[in-house]
mmCIF file of all heavy atoms in Angstrom:
data_model
loop_
_atom_site.group_PDB
_atom_site.id
_atom_site.type_symbol
_atom_site.label_atom_id
_atom_site.label_comp_id
_atom_site.label_asym_id
_atom_site.label_seq_id
_atom_site.Cartn_x
_atom_site.Cartn_y
_atom_site.Cartn_z
ATOM 1 N N VAL A 27 0.098 108.230 77.023
ATOM 2 C CA VAL A 27 -1.247 108.999 76.837
ATOM 3 C C VAL A 27 -1.948 108.507 75.526
ATOM 4 O O VAL A 27 -3.173 108.223 75.535
ATOM 5 C CB VAL A 27 -0.928 110.450 76.602
ATOM 6 C CG1 VAL A 27 -2.045 111.259 76.036
ATOM 7 C CG2 VAL A 27 -0.420 111.061 77.893
ATOM 8 N N SER A 28 -1.185 108.196 74.467
ATOM 9 C CA SER A 28 -1.878 107.571 73.235
ATOM 10 C C SER A 28 -2.503 106.225 73.510
ATOM 11 O O SER A 28 -3.553 105.938 73.118
ATOM 12 C CB SER A 28 -0.768 107.559 72.220
ATOM 13 O OG SER A 28 -1.186 106.959 71.085
ATOM 14 N N ARG A 29 -1.838 105.422 74.263
ATOM 15 C CA ARG A 29 -2.378 104.005 74.648
ATOM 16 C C ARG A 29 -3.601 104.252 75.564
ATOM 17 O O ARG A 29 -4.548 103.494 75.349
ATOM 18 C CB ARG A 29 -1.250 103.160 75.289
ATOM 19 C CG ARG A 29 -0.096 102.909 74.347
ATOM 20 C CD ARG A 29 0.932 102.116 75.088
ATOM 21 N NE ARG A 29 0.699 100.683 74.906
ATOM 22 C CZ ARG A 29 1.246 99.716 75.680
ATOM 23 N NH1 ARG A 29 1.926 100.055 76.655
ATOM 24 N NH2 ARG A 29 1.043 98.432 75.350
ATOM 25 N N LEU A 30 -3.561 105.196 76.413
ATOM 26 C CA LEU A 30 -4.723 105.296 77.239
ATOM 27 C C LEU A 30 -5.962 105.767 76.473
ATOM 28 O O LEU A 30 -7.015 105.260 76.653
ATOM 29 C CB LEU A 30 -4.465 106.455 78.328
ATOM 30 C CG LEU A 30 -3.517 105.981 79.471
ATOM 31 C CD1 LEU A 30 -3.112 107.201 80.376
ATOM 32 C CD2 LEU A 30 -4.219 104.961 80.392
ATOM 33 N N LEU A 31 -5.698 106.646 75.472
ATOM 34 C CA LEU A 31 -6.800 107.076 74.594
ATOM 35 C C LEU A 31 -7.295 106.000 73.688
ATOM 36 O O LEU A 31 -8.441 105.765 73.359
ATOM 37 C CB LEU A 31 -6.269 108.306 73.673
ATOM 38 C CG LEU A 31 -6.011 109.553 74.495
ATOM 39 C CD1 LEU A 31 -5.483 110.655 73.591
ATOM 40 C CD2 LEU A 31 -7.415 110.092 75.102
ATOM 41 N N ASP A 32 -6.324 105.048 73.217
ATOM 42 C CA ASP A 32 -6.689 103.817 72.552
ATOM 43 C C ASP A 32 -7.527 102.983 73.348
ATOM 44 O O ASP A 32 -8.547 102.388 72.788
ATOM 45 C CB ASP A 32 -5.484 103.082 71.958
ATOM 46 C CG ASP A 32 -4.707 103.708 70.938
ATOM 47 O OD1 ASP A 32 -5.131 104.748 70.330
ATOM 48 O OD2 ASP A 32 -3.465 103.422 70.750
ATOM 49 N N TYR A 33 -7.168 102.813 74.557
ATOM 50 C CA TYR A 33 -7.963 101.967 75.572
ATOM 51 C C TYR A 33 -9.407 102.511 75.730
ATOM 52 O O TYR A 33 -10.395 101.818 75.569
ATOM 53 C CB TYR A 33 -7.261 101.844 76.916
ATOM 54 C CG TYR A 33 -8.226 101.464 78.029
ATOM 55 C CD1 TYR A 33 -8.778 100.230 77.998
ATOM 56 C CD2 TYR A 33 -8.457 102.287 79.092
ATOM 57 C CE1 TYR A 33 -9.649 99.772 79.135
ATOM 58 C CE2 TYR A 33 -9.356 101.955 80.073
ATOM 59 C CZ TYR A 33 -9.929 100.616 80.156
ATOM 60 O OH TYR A 33 -10.756 100.325 81.161
ATOM 61 N N GLN A 34 -9.474 103.879 75.874
ATOM 62 C CA GLN A 34 -10.729 104.464 76.068
ATOM 63 C C GLN A 34 -11.555 104.349 74.714
ATOM 64 O O GLN A 34 -12.842 104.056 74.802
ATOM 65 C CB GLN A 34 -10.722 105.976 76.351
ATOM 66 C CG GLN A 34 -11.986 106.645 76.501
ATOM 67 C CD GLN A 34 -12.139 107.977 77.048
ATOM 68 O OE1 GLN A 34 -11.487 108.127 78.159
ATOM 69 N NE2 GLN A 34 -12.800 108.875 76.551
ATOM 70 N N GLY A 35 -11.040 104.433 73.550
ATOM 71 C CA GLY A 35 -11.633 104.233 72.323
ATOM 72 C C GLY A 35 -12.220 102.873 72.144
ATOM 73 O O GLY A 35 -13.390 102.671 71.830
ATOM 74 N N LEU A 36 -11.454 101.866 72.571
ATOM 75 C CA LEU A 36 -11.983 100.510 72.596
ATOM 76 C C LEU A 36 -13.063 100.264 73.422
ATOM 77 O O LEU A 36 -14.147 99.709 73.201
ATOM 78 C CB LEU A 36 -10.745 99.615 73.002
ATOM 79 C CG LEU A 36 -11.000 98.102 72.767
ATOM 80 C CD1 LEU A 36 -11.001 97.725 71.197
ATOM 81 C CD2 LEU A 36 -9.751 97.286 73.353
ATOM 82 N N LEU A 37 -12.931 100.907 74.722
ATOM 83 C CA LEU A 37 -14.062 100.836 75.670
ATOM 84 C C LEU A 37 -15.398 101.545 75.091
ATOM 85 O O LEU A 37 -16.426 100.979 75.305
ATOM 86 C CB LEU A 37 -13.577 101.479 76.992
ATOM 87 C CG LEU A 37 -14.599 101.573 78.196
ATOM 88 C CD1 LEU A 37 -15.007 100.198 78.524
ATOM 89 C CD2 LEU A 37 -13.857 102.083 79.421
ATOM 90 N N GLU A 38 -15.215 102.650 74.524
ATOM 91 C CA GLU A 38 -16.380 103.433 73.979
ATOM 92 C C GLU A 38 -17.089 102.437 72.867
ATOM 93 O O GLU A 38 -18.228 102.290 72.889
ATOM 94 C CB GLU A 38 -15.891 104.709 73.290
ATOM 95 C CG GLU A 38 -15.543 105.835 74.257
ATOM 96 C CD GLU A 38 -15.104 107.009 73.372
ATOM 97 O OE1 GLU A 38 -15.525 107.305 72.349
ATOM 98 O OE2 GLU A 38 -14.190 107.642 74.047
ATOM 99 N N ARG A 39 -16.175 101.797 72.056
ATOM 100 C CA ARG A 39 -16.848 100.939 70.998
ATOM 101 C C ARG A 39 -17.492 99.814 71.529
ATOM 102 O O ARG A 39 -18.745 99.465 71.274
ATOM 103 C CB ARG A 39 -15.768 100.531 69.964
ATOM 104 C CG ARG A 39 -15.269 101.616 69.046
ATOM 105 C CD ARG A 39 -14.541 101.117 67.845
ATOM 106 N NE ARG A 39 -13.223 100.434 68.173
ATOM 107 C CZ ARG A 39 -12.102 100.992 68.439
ATOM 108 N NH1 ARG A 39 -12.164 102.364 68.545
ATOM 109 N NH2 ARG A 39 -10.998 100.306 68.700
#
Side-chain angles (χ1 to χ4, degrees):
V27 166
S28 175
R29 294 178 95 197
L30 288 169
L31 292 172
D32 290 346
Y33 163 63
Q34 177 167 317
L36 191 65
L37 179 55
E38 285 173 35
R39 285 199 295 284

